[in-house]
Amino acid sequence: MNYKEARVYLDEVSKYGSVLGLDNMRELLDRLGNPQDDLKFIHISGTNGKGSALSYMSTILSGAGLRTGRYISPTLYAYRERIQVDGEMIDRESLAALVTVVKEAVDAMEKKCDIVVLETGLGGTLDATNVVKTTVMEMISSIGMDHMEFLGGTLQEIAENKAGIIKPRTWVVSAEQDPQAAAVIRRVCREKECRLSVVDPDAFQDVHYGYDRQTFSYKDWKDVEITLAGTYQVTNAALALEAVEALRNLGYSLTEEQVRKGMKEAFWRGRFSVIHKNPVVVIDGAHNPAAAKVLKDSLETYFQGKDLHFIFGVFADKDYQSVISMTAPLAKHIITIQTPDNQRALPAEQLRDAVAKVNPSVEAAGSIREAVRKSMENAQKDDVIVAFGSLSFLGELDREVQAMEGE
């Protein structure tokens, strides 16, 4: 089986969707010899900010000389992005071999990383990643209302699920949470005899925002620079700094130079990423109310007084009405699209009709290419185009923008 055949196979398997529960994953790993038991993990759950926290931590740890694996989901540009060691994607041949032969899979998986920064896919308790038992730390990013059909209809229920990754007597690092979610995390930490560190919102000083670079001070960390954009990235970065202090207490040697370098070089495409200038084009995976709120805050902070043009596409099972109510009033014009090749996608026309109730300057496009070209034609040099919603269409949109650049 070559890489192309392996990808076809993986795509076919993925059509069955997520199956919550660990029995199948445990049996599969058992057959592979449980390679995960030979690794150390930092396990990350949460609703928004998981990927950014993973990016900060894995970049810092790699820069500190630790062979660092990372697993992310979903990805924007290539399936191979999911599996990385020290920022390098798994190569096509190795992925094909992993899919083809179980024995070769075992050999390829024994990379002997010093530590793996592991992001949950859906929830925590029954997420497939929760089979790991050698966790040294759990990080919990901001918890919000998402995937309610799987995780529960209240913030408390969702927090219970997210906190399901917490293992006994580990160190837990949490973002500042809604009081209901915070109470759940504190209780689980007490029950499992874990140490808990929480981001302190009163410990920030000298915060300077910008979509090219941002700086802030947090506790004893002065003038930390990050290049990930979005006002929320400052709090995500503080979550990583809390994790750094916890790792130091656990015996990991992380110098100030290594931490600062990792924070500055951390990169997470698709999270308020500027992919073009003149006009500025931003892509962002704001697909739920909490993410929409921070997108709104970022747009109002960075682009006050600018004309905004939106390209918007979401899944039908998301709370898109709330996303619309927060974001649509900001735009001069909105083009809706349907995320291609996904049964969950909301039709562009249906999304257009929902947006029109808040902002009448809206139209539906027949394709992502059409949406990009129309937005580029409508926008003036100093305007801003913002493509957001489902992460699944942002990679294709980025490619369309780059293709127009080359014309």
Side-chain angles (χ1 to χ4, degrees):
M1 187 183 293
N2 59 30
Y3 175 73
K4 184 175 181 180
E5 292 167 334
R7 285 292 292 113
V8 169
Y9 169 77
L10 290 169
D11 288 341
E12 287 296 321
V13 171
S14 69
K15 288 180 181 178
Y16 294 102
S18 299
V19 179
L20 292 179
L22 303 180
D23 291 344
N24 291 340
M25 183 59 69
R26 285 193 177 115
E27 181 177 351
L28 174 62
L29 290 171
D30 209 35
R31 291 171 183 241
L32 295 172
N34 287 305
Q36 77 281 1
D37 290 346
D38 295 327
L39 299 168
K40 302 293 185 186
F41 291 90
I42 295 175
H43 206 176
I44 304 177
S45 72
T47 304
N48 298 307
K50 290 182 301 194
S52 300
L54 180 146
S55 182
Y56 289 125
M57 290 309 302
S58 57
T59 308
I60 290 168
L61 293 167
S62 291
L66 296 171
R67 186 172 174 81
T68 306
R70 70 182 190 181
Y71 174 80
I72 61 175
S73 175
T75 55
L76 295 188
Y77 300 96
Y79 187 92
R80 294 183 297 122
E81 286 181 80
R82 292 170 183 255
I83 305 167
Q84 302 180 31
V85 175
D86 290 335
E88 293 290 328
M89 294 189 296
I90 188 171
D91 61 83
R92 293 169 179 260
E93 293 74 18
S94 292
L95 182 62
L98 283 165
V99 173
T100 307
V101 185
V102 172
K103 177 63 173 67
E104 291 179 7
V106 175
D107 294 340
M109 288 172 72
E110 290 179 349
K111 290 181 179 287
K112 298 298 183 184
C113 291
D114 297 303
I115 195 163
V116 176
V117 189
L118 183 67
E119 177 188 354
T120 60
L122 180 64
T125 303
L126 297 180
D127 186 76
T129 63
N130 206 28
V131 294
V132 299
K133 298 180 291 187
T134 53
T135 312
V136 297
M137 177 188 296
E138 295 86 8
M139 297 174 66
I140 302 179
S141 67
S142 176
I143 296 174
M145 301 297 289
D146 200 12
H147 298 296
M148 285 89 80
E149 69 275 26
F150 298 112
L151 306 182
T154 68
L155 195 61
Q156 183 174 348
E157 290 173 329
I158 293 173
E160 290 278 1
N161 205 302
K162 302 287 186 183
I165 67 168
I166 297 174
K167 304 298 185 295
R169 291 173 293 283
T170 52
W171 203 309
V172 179
V173 181
S174 172
E176 181 194 12
Q177 305 286 358
D178 179 277
Q180 290 183 64
V184 170
I185 294 169
R186 287 196 302 269
R187 174 178 55 74
V188 173
C189 286
R190 285 196 305 270
E191 291 171 353
K192 297 192 175 183
E193 301 177 15
C194 298
R195 298 192 65 173
L196 174 63
S197 300
V198 180
V199 172
D200 181 0
D202 296 324
F204 290 97
Q205 290 182 322
D206 303 320
V207 179
H208 299 283
Y209 296 112
Y211 64 80
D212 285 324
R213 64 185 291 272
Q214 308 190 101
T215 59
F216 68 97
S217 297
Y218 178 75
K219 294 186 175 178
D220 293 332
W221 292 92
K222 306 301 181 186
D223 298 317
V224 177
E225 181 178 352
I226 58 175
T227 52
L228 284 175
T231 53
Y232 53 89
Q233 286 298 349
V234 171
T235 56
N236 288 339
L239 179 65
L241 292 176
E242 289 284 358
V244 164
E245 295 298 341
L247 285 174
R248 285 173 165 178
N249 284 318
L250 290 170
Y252 287 83
S253 177
L254 301 172
T255 67
E256 180 165 344
E257 181 182 1
Q258 290 166 344
V259 174
R260 289 183 177 275
K261 187 171 186 290
M263 297 294 284
K264 183 177 179 179
E265 294 180 356
F267 179 71
W268 200 242
R269 204 164 177 86
R271 276 68 173 182
F272 209 91
S273 301
V274 176
I275 62 170
H276 187 271
K277 293 186 178 180
N278 301 321
V280 168
V281 180
V282 175
I283 58 175
D284 187 81
H287 61 276
N288 59 42
K293 183 182 183 304
V294 294
L295 172 62
K296 175 179 180 289
D297 292 343
S298 295
L299 293 175
E300 290 176 334
T301 299
Y302 299 140
F303 304 123
Q304 192 172 24
K306 300 279 188 180
D307 284 339
L308 304 180
H309 303 258
F310 287 173
I311 301 174
F312 182 34
V314 293
F315 289 159
D317 54 7
K318 297 296 180 181
D319 183 7
Y320 59 87
Q321 300 285 4
S322 295
V323 175
I324 290 169
S325 67
M326 278 186 271
T327 59
L330 302 177
K332 180 178 181 181
H333 187 65
I334 300 171
I335 299 178
T336 61
I337 59 98
Q338 178 173 332
T339 300
D341 303 321
N342 198 300
Q343 295 179 345
R344 296 167 59 198
L346 186 70
E349 294 76 16
Q350 189 175 339
L351 182 57
R352 175 201 60 201
D353 294 344
V355 170
K357 296 174 183 177
V358 179
N359 186 335
S361 181
V362 59
E363 64 180 299
S367 67
I368 292 174
R369 174 173 294 180
E370 179 187 340
V372 169
R373 292 184 180 276
K374 281 189 173 182
S375 294
M376 286 291 198
E377 290 169 2
N378 292 338
Q380 301 298 311
K381 184 178 179 180
D382 292 333
D383 293 350
V384 180
I385 298 171
V386 186
F388 68 99
S390 171
L391 283 165
S392 60
F393 80 88
L394 297 182
E396 182 177 339
L397 184 138
D398 190 347
R399 287 188 287 272
E400 291 293 346
V401 171
Q402 306 315 318
M404 282 192 68
E405 243 184 352
E407 292 179 353

